[in-house]
Amino acid sequence: MEKLKDNRTLIGSLILFITLLWGYAWVLMKESLQYMGPFTFSSFRFGVGAITLLLVAWILKLGLPPKKYWKHIVIVGILQTAIVFLLVMYALRFVDAGKSSVLLYSMPMWSSLLAVKFLNEKLSLAKSIGLFIGMLGLLTILGWDIWIGQSPEMIIGEILIILAAVSWAVANTYYRLKLENLSQIQVSAFQMFFGALAIMMVTLFMEHHEPLLVNSKSVYYILFTGVFASALCFTLWFLILSLVDMVTATISTLLVPMFGLLFSSFLLGEKMTFGILGGSGMIIIGIIIAQKKRVHDT
């Protein structure tokens, strides 16, 4: 591990690799809706991802979490996996993949606000300015399109994705409060398992009548997002967290919406409006400023 910490080229390559995969996954999530319902796809994706991560945990001989943590793991699974991706996948029926990725990755802003309230972290001047700019970016993405006659379905979809970002932020805060002492891979594997179970129950209730088209493309979308974008990338992400500081690692996720926008534009032909580009830039600038630490900050 010490040698890996000194290998900045390898760490940078890993960060670039996982953010590329996560950005590309937004295209597959959008395309999967041609073959199955959004909840059905999420059931397959996180079912495959949970099985893969549980296998990794078994190989590493991590064992089962202590009983006192099970309730908290279930709560994180509901917040981080079930609610986030039920909302996101449903919203993708109406919202472009690129814009969706930008809105979901507003999560660090909500996390900063929750950290002040529940983790007793101070909201520095830099964080306050960053949050303000980020909020303006969200309004730019939503407000610009509202003024040009955006459909009510698309507006609702965008609001659902923002709610998903808030749920993700709540999950991060709850993790810090209740589960920080557990192995990150162990927590991720079991929270994804319980989150997948919740998604499957919603799927059976909401989409039992929905058509399911199984072919090489739909299987590829499930396997890629489940094995690579979920299980593999989360495993590499936990490795990165052990090699670099949290601020550096979190800032690196800002590459995801940028790649999401690029892949969606080139592969899906989604239009890049001034509202999306301007708002996206403001969100990214806001997140960077909000997480910037100065020497005199406490």
mmCIF file with all atom_site columns, all heavy atoms in Angstrom, residues 75-91:
data_model
loop_
_atom_site.group_PDB
_atom_site.id
_atom_site.type_symbol
_atom_site.label_atom_id
_atom_site.label_alt_id
_atom_site.label_comp_id
_atom_site.label_asym_id
_atom_site.label_entity_id
_atom_site.label_seq_id
_atom_site.pdbx_PDB_ins_code
_atom_site.Cartn_x
_atom_site.Cartn_y
_atom_site.Cartn_z
_atom_site.occupancy
_atom_site.B_iso_or_equiv
_atom_site.pdbx_formal_charge
_atom_site.auth_seq_id
_atom_site.auth_comp_id
_atom_site.auth_asym_id
_atom_site.auth_atom_id
_atom_site.pdbx_PDB_model_num
ATOM 1   N N   . ILE A 1 75 ? -30.676 0.758  6.345   1.00 0.00 ? 75 ILE A N   1
ATOM 2   C CA  . ILE A 1 75 ? -31.084 2.148  6.113   1.00 0.00 ? 75 ILE A CA  1
ATOM 3   C C   . ILE A 1 75 ? -30.245 2.785  5.010   1.00 0.00 ? 75 ILE A C   1
ATOM 4   O O   . ILE A 1 75 ? -30.771 3.458  4.112   1.00 0.00 ? 75 ILE A O   1
ATOM 5   C CB  . ILE A 1 75 ? -30.975 2.960  7.419   1.00 0.00 ? 75 ILE A CB  1
ATOM 6   C CG1 . ILE A 1 75 ? -32.040 2.480  8.417   1.00 0.00 ? 75 ILE A CG1 1
ATOM 7   C CG2 . ILE A 1 75 ? -31.135 4.459  7.145   1.00 0.00 ? 75 ILE A CG2 1
ATOM 8   C CD1 . ILE A 1 75 ? -31.923 3.111  9.787   1.00 0.00 ? 75 ILE A CD1 1
ATOM 9   N N   . VAL A 1 76 ? -28.922 2.566  5.050   1.00 0.00 ? 76 VAL A N   1
ATOM 10  C CA  . VAL A 1 76 ? -28.052 3.109  4.002   1.00 0.00 ? 76 VAL A CA  1
ATOM 11  C C   . VAL A 1 76 ? -28.394 2.490  2.646   1.00 0.00 ? 76 VAL A C   1
ATOM 12  O O   . VAL A 1 76 ? -28.399 3.178  1.617   1.00 0.00 ? 76 VAL A O   1
ATOM 13  C CB  . VAL A 1 76 ? -26.563 2.875  4.350   1.00 0.00 ? 76 VAL A CB  1
ATOM 14  C CG1 . VAL A 1 76 ? -25.671 3.234  3.166   1.00 0.00 ? 76 VAL A CG1 1
ATOM 15  C CG2 . VAL A 1 76 ? -26.165 3.707  5.564   1.00 0.00 ? 76 VAL A CG2 1
ATOM 16  N N   . GLY A 1 77 ? -28.697 1.195  2.630   1.00 0.00 ? 77 GLY A N   1
ATOM 17  C CA  . GLY A 1 77 ? -29.080 0.533  1.385   1.00 0.00 ? 77 GLY A CA  1
ATOM 18  C C   . GLY A 1 77 ? -30.335 1.127  0.782   1.00 0.00 ? 77 GLY A C   1
ATOM 19  O O   . GLY A 1 77 ? -30.433 1.314  -0.444  1.00 0.00 ? 77 GLY A O   1
ATOM 20  N N   . ILE A 1 78 ? -31.317 1.454  1.643   1.00 0.00 ? 78 ILE A N   1
ATOM 21  C CA  . ILE A 1 78 ? -32.551 2.074  1.159   1.00 0.00 ? 78 ILE A CA  1
ATOM 22  C C   . ILE A 1 78 ? -32.270 3.465  0.607   1.00 0.00 ? 78 ILE A C   1
ATOM 23  O O   . ILE A 1 78 ? -32.751 3.842  -0.477  1.00 0.00 ? 78 ILE A O   1
ATOM 24  C CB  . ILE A 1 78 ? -33.597 2.158  2.292   1.00 0.00 ? 78 ILE A CB  1
ATOM 25  C CG1 . ILE A 1 78 ? -33.986 0.758  2.781   1.00 0.00 ? 78 ILE A CG1 1
ATOM 26  C CG2 . ILE A 1 78 ? -34.833 2.920  1.819   1.00 0.00 ? 78 ILE A CG2 1
ATOM 27  C CD1 . ILE A 1 78 ? -34.627 -0.105 1.739   1.00 0.00 ? 78 ILE A CD1 1
ATOM 28  N N   . LEU A 1 79 ? -31.466 4.242  1.355   1.00 0.00 ? 79 LEU A N   1
ATOM 29  C CA  . LEU A 1 79 ? -31.194 5.624  0.956   1.00 0.00 ? 79 LEU A CA  1
ATOM 30  C C   . LEU A 1 79 ? -30.285 5.718  -0.262  1.00 0.00 ? 79 LEU A C   1
ATOM 31  O O   . LEU A 1 79 ? -30.545 6.493  -1.191  1.00 0.00 ? 79 LEU A O   1
ATOM 32  C CB  . LEU A 1 79 ? -30.551 6.381  2.129   1.00 0.00 ? 79 LEU A CB  1
ATOM 33  C CG  . LEU A 1 79 ? -31.443 6.700  3.323   1.00 0.00 ? 79 LEU A CG  1
ATOM 34  C CD1 . LEU A 1 79 ? -30.605 7.227  4.481   1.00 0.00 ? 79 LEU A CD1 1
ATOM 35  C CD2 . LEU A 1 79 ? -32.506 7.718  2.946   1.00 0.00 ? 79 LEU A CD2 1
ATOM 36  N N   . GLN A 1 80 ? -29.187 4.949  -0.249  1.00 0.00 ? 80 GLN A N   1
ATOM 37  C CA  . GLN A 1 80 ? -28.145 5.120  -1.268  1.00 0.00 ? 80 GLN A CA  1
ATOM 38  C C   . GLN A 1 80 ? -28.406 4.338  -2.541  1.00 0.00 ? 80 GLN A C   1
ATOM 39  O O   . GLN A 1 80 ? -28.132 4.830  -3.641  1.00 0.00 ? 80 GLN A O   1
ATOM 40  C CB  . GLN A 1 80 ? -26.789 4.718  -0.684  1.00 0.00 ? 80 GLN A CB  1
ATOM 41  C CG  . GLN A 1 80 ? -25.626 4.920  -1.656  1.00 0.00 ? 80 GLN A CG  1
ATOM 42  C CD  . GLN A 1 80 ? -24.282 4.750  -0.986  1.00 0.00 ? 80 GLN A CD  1
ATOM 43  O OE1 . GLN A 1 80 ? -24.050 5.270  0.100   1.00 0.00 ? 80 GLN A OE1 1
ATOM 44  N NE2 . GLN A 1 80 ? -23.387 4.003  -1.611  1.00 0.00 ? 80 GLN A NE2 1
ATOM 45  N N   . THR A 1 81 ? -28.920 3.121  -2.417  1.00 0.00 ? 81 THR A N   1
ATOM 46  C CA  . THR A 1 81 ? -29.136 2.310  -3.613  1.00 0.00 ? 81 THR A CA  1
ATOM 47  C C   . THR A 1 81 ? -30.587 2.368  -4.085  1.00 0.00 ? 81 THR A C   1
ATOM 48  O O   . THR A 1 81 ? -30.862 2.703  -5.240  1.00 0.00 ? 81 THR A O   1
ATOM 49  C CB  . THR A 1 81 ? -28.724 0.848  -3.355  1.00 0.00 ? 81 THR A CB  1
ATOM 50  O OG1 . THR A 1 81 ? -27.316 0.795  -3.103  1.00 0.00 ? 81 THR A OG1 1
ATOM 51  C CG2 . THR A 1 81 ? -29.034 -0.028 -4.562  1.00 0.00 ? 81 THR A CG2 1
ATOM 52  N N   . ALA A 1 82 ? -31.533 2.057  -3.189  1.00 0.00 ? 82 ALA A N   1
ATOM 53  C CA  . ALA A 1 82 ? -32.930 1.940  -3.603  1.00 0.00 ? 82 ALA A CA  1
ATOM 54  C C   . ALA A 1 82 ? -33.532 3.282  -4.023  1.00 0.00 ? 82 ALA A C   1
ATOM 55  O O   . ALA A 1 82 ? -33.954 3.453  -5.171  1.00 0.00 ? 82 ALA A O   1
ATOM 56  C CB  . ALA A 1 82 ? -33.754 1.302  -2.484  1.00 0.00 ? 82 ALA A CB  1
ATOM 57  N N   . ILE A 1 83 ? -33.566 4.243  -3.100  1.00 0.00 ? 83 ILE A N   1
ATOM 58  C CA  . ILE A 1 83 ? -34.224 5.514  -3.406  1.00 0.00 ? 83 ILE A CA  1
ATOM 59  C C   . ILE A 1 83 ? -33.521 6.248  -4.537  1.00 0.00 ? 83 ILE A C   1
ATOM 60  O O   . ILE A 1 83 ? -34.166 6.744  -5.481  1.00 0.00 ? 83 ILE A O   1
ATOM 61  C CB  . ILE A 1 83 ? -34.283 6.404  -2.143  1.00 0.00 ? 83 ILE A CB  1
ATOM 62  C CG1 . ILE A 1 83 ? -35.232 5.786  -1.118  1.00 0.00 ? 83 ILE A CG1 1
ATOM 63  C CG2 . ILE A 1 83 ? -34.726 7.820  -2.506  1.00 0.00 ? 83 ILE A CG2 1
ATOM 64  C CD1 . ILE A 1 83 ? -35.336 6.564  0.175   1.00 0.00 ? 83 ILE A CD1 1
ATOM 65  N N   . VAL A 1 84 ? -32.190 6.326  -4.469  1.00 0.00 ? 84 VAL A N   1
ATOM 66  C CA  . VAL A 1 84 ? -31.447 7.073  -5.486  1.00 0.00 ? 84 VAL A CA  1
ATOM 67  C C   . VAL A 1 84 ? -31.730 6.542  -6.885  1.00 0.00 ? 84 VAL A C   1
ATOM 68  O O   . VAL A 1 84 ? -32.099 7.291  -7.801  1.00 0.00 ? 84 VAL A O   1
ATOM 69  C CB  . VAL A 1 84 ? -29.925 7.032  -5.198  1.00 0.00 ? 84 VAL A CB  1
ATOM 70  C CG1 . VAL A 1 84 ? -29.150 7.601  -6.397  1.00 0.00 ? 84 VAL A CG1 1
ATOM 71  C CG2 . VAL A 1 84 ? -29.601 7.827  -3.945  1.00 0.00 ? 84 VAL A CG2 1
ATOM 72  N N   . PHE A 1 85 ? -31.621 5.228  -7.070  1.00 0.00 ? 85 PHE A N   1
ATOM 73  C CA  . PHE A 1 85 ? -31.714 4.716  -8.437  1.00 0.00 ? 85 PHE A CA  1
ATOM 74  C C   . PHE A 1 85 ? -33.137 4.418  -8.874  1.00 0.00 ? 85 PHE A C   1
ATOM 75  O O   . PHE A 1 85 ? -33.407 4.353  -10.079 1.00 0.00 ? 85 PHE A O   1
ATOM 76  C CB  . PHE A 1 85 ? -30.791 3.507  -8.600  1.00 0.00 ? 85 PHE A CB  1
ATOM 77  C CG  . PHE A 1 85 ? -29.351 3.911  -8.663  1.00 0.00 ? 85 PHE A CG  1
ATOM 78  C CD1 . PHE A 1 85 ? -28.564 3.908  -7.536  1.00 0.00 ? 85 PHE A CD1 1
ATOM 79  C CD2 . PHE A 1 85 ? -28.797 4.356  -9.851  1.00 0.00 ? 85 PHE A CD2 1
ATOM 80  C CE1 . PHE A 1 85 ? -27.241 4.315  -7.585  1.00 0.00 ? 85 PHE A CE1 1
ATOM 81  C CE2 . PHE A 1 85 ? -27.476 4.777  -9.921  1.00 0.00 ? 85 PHE A CE2 1
ATOM 82  C CZ  . PHE A 1 85 ? -26.695 4.749  -8.778  1.00 0.00 ? 85 PHE A CZ  1
ATOM 83  N N   . LEU A 1 86 ? -34.068 4.269  -7.943  1.00 0.00 ? 86 LEU A N   1
ATOM 84  C CA  . LEU A 1 86 ? -35.473 4.226  -8.345  1.00 0.00 ? 86 LEU A CA  1
ATOM 85  C C   . LEU A 1 86 ? -35.882 5.580  -8.914  1.00 0.00 ? 86 LEU A C   1
ATOM 86  O O   . LEU A 1 86 ? -36.536 5.657  -9.962  1.00 0.00 ? 86 LEU A O   1
ATOM 87  C CB  . LEU A 1 86 ? -36.358 3.859  -7.149  1.00 0.00 ? 86 LEU A CB  1
ATOM 88  C CG  . LEU A 1 86 ? -36.347 2.393  -6.710  1.00 0.00 ? 86 LEU A CG  1
ATOM 89  C CD1 . LEU A 1 86 ? -37.116 2.220  -5.404  1.00 0.00 ? 86 LEU A CD1 1
ATOM 90  C CD2 . LEU A 1 86 ? -36.943 1.487  -7.801  1.00 0.00 ? 86 LEU A CD2 1
ATOM 91  N N   . LEU A 1 87 ? -35.486 6.656  -8.232  1.00 0.00 ? 87 LEU A N   1
ATOM 92  C CA  . LEU A 1 87 ? -35.815 7.997  -8.706  1.00 0.00 ? 87 LEU A CA  1
ATOM 93  C C   . LEU A 1 87 ? -35.093 8.327  -10.009 1.00 0.00 ? 87 LEU A C   1
ATOM 94  O O   . LEU A 1 87 ? -35.694 8.852  -10.960 1.00 0.00 ? 87 LEU A O   1
ATOM 95  C CB  . LEU A 1 87 ? -35.467 9.037  -7.635  1.00 0.00 ? 87 LEU A CB  1
ATOM 96  C CG  . LEU A 1 87 ? -36.295 9.007  -6.347  1.00 0.00 ? 87 LEU A CG  1
ATOM 97  C CD1 . LEU A 1 87 ? -35.776 10.048 -5.356  1.00 0.00 ? 87 LEU A CD1 1
ATOM 98  C CD2 . LEU A 1 87 ? -37.764 9.253  -6.641  1.00 0.00 ? 87 LEU A CD2 1
ATOM 99  N N   . VAL A 1 88 ? -33.800 8.027  -10.059 1.00 0.00 ? 88 VAL A N   1
ATOM 100 C CA  . VAL A 1 88 ? -33.005 8.362  -11.242 1.00 0.00 ? 88 VAL A CA  1
ATOM 101 C C   . VAL A 1 88 ? -33.495 7.606  -12.475 1.00 0.00 ? 88 VAL A C   1
ATOM 102 O O   . VAL A 1 88 ? -33.686 8.194  -13.546 1.00 0.00 ? 88 VAL A O   1
ATOM 103 C CB  . VAL A 1 88 ? -31.510 8.070  -10.991 1.00 0.00 ? 88 VAL A CB  1
ATOM 104 C CG1 . VAL A 1 88 ? -30.732 8.085  -12.313 1.00 0.00 ? 88 VAL A CG1 1
ATOM 105 C CG2 . VAL A 1 88 ? -30.917 9.101  -10.042 1.00 0.00 ? 88 VAL A CG2 1
ATOM 106 N N   . MET A 1 89 ? -33.693 6.308  -12.332 1.00 0.00 ? 89 MET A N   1
ATOM 107 C CA  . MET A 1 89 ? -34.099 5.512  -13.489 1.00 0.00 ? 89 MET A CA  1
ATOM 108 C C   . MET A 1 89 ? -35.485 5.906  -13.991 1.00 0.00 ? 89 MET A C   1
ATOM 109 O O   . MET A 1 89 ? -35.740 5.936  -15.199 1.00 0.00 ? 89 MET A O   1
ATOM 110 C CB  . MET A 1 89 ? -34.053 4.022  -13.153 1.00 0.00 ? 89 MET A CB  1
ATOM 111 C CG  . MET A 1 89 ? -32.646 3.455  -13.026 1.00 0.00 ? 89 MET A CG  1
ATOM 112 S SD  . MET A 1 89 ? -31.603 3.722  -14.489 1.00 0.00 ? 89 MET A SD  1
ATOM 113 C CE  . MET A 1 89 ? -32.577 2.886  -15.768 1.00 0.00 ? 89 MET A CE  1
ATOM 114 N N   . TYR A 1 90 ? -36.390 6.223  -13.085 1.00 0.00 ? 90 TYR A N   1
ATOM 115 C CA  . TYR A 1 90 ? -37.714 6.675  -13.513 1.00 0.00 ? 90 TYR A CA  1
ATOM 116 C C   . TYR A 1 90 ? -37.604 8.020  -14.226 1.00 0.00 ? 90 TYR A C   1
ATOM 117 O O   . TYR A 1 90 ? -38.232 8.243  -15.267 1.00 0.00 ? 90 TYR A O   1
ATOM 118 C CB  . TYR A 1 90 ? -38.649 6.790  -12.311 1.00 0.00 ? 90 TYR A CB  1
ATOM 119 C CG  . TYR A 1 90 ? -40.060 7.178  -12.689 1.00 0.00 ? 90 TYR A CG  1
ATOM 120 C CD1 . TYR A 1 90 ? -40.941 6.230  -13.187 1.00 0.00 ? 90 TYR A CD1 1
ATOM 121 C CD2 . TYR A 1 90 ? -40.503 8.504  -12.565 1.00 0.00 ? 90 TYR A CD2 1
ATOM 122 C CE1 . TYR A 1 90 ? -42.238 6.589  -13.558 1.00 0.00 ? 90 TYR A CE1 1
ATOM 123 C CE2 . TYR A 1 90 ? -41.791 8.868  -12.924 1.00 0.00 ? 90 TYR A CE2 1
ATOM 124 C CZ  . TYR A 1 90 ? -42.658 7.905  -13.422 1.00 0.00 ? 90 TYR A CZ  1
ATOM 125 O OH  . TYR A 1 90 ? -43.929 8.254  -13.793 1.00 0.00 ? 90 TYR A OH  1
ATOM 126 N N   . ALA A 1 91 ? -36.773 8.919  -13.680 1.00 0.00 ? 91 ALA A N   1
ATOM 127 C CA  . ALA A 1 91 ? -36.614 10.249 -14.268 1.00 0.00 ? 91 ALA A CA  1
ATOM 128 C C   . ALA A 1 91 ? -35.965 10.195 -15.642 1.00 0.00 ? 91 ALA A C   1
ATOM 129 O O   . ALA A 1 91 ? -36.218 11.056 -16.490 1.00 0.00 ? 91 ALA A O   1
ATOM 130 C CB  . ALA A 1 91 ? -35.792 11.133 -13.330 1.00 0.00 ? 91 ALA A CB  1
#
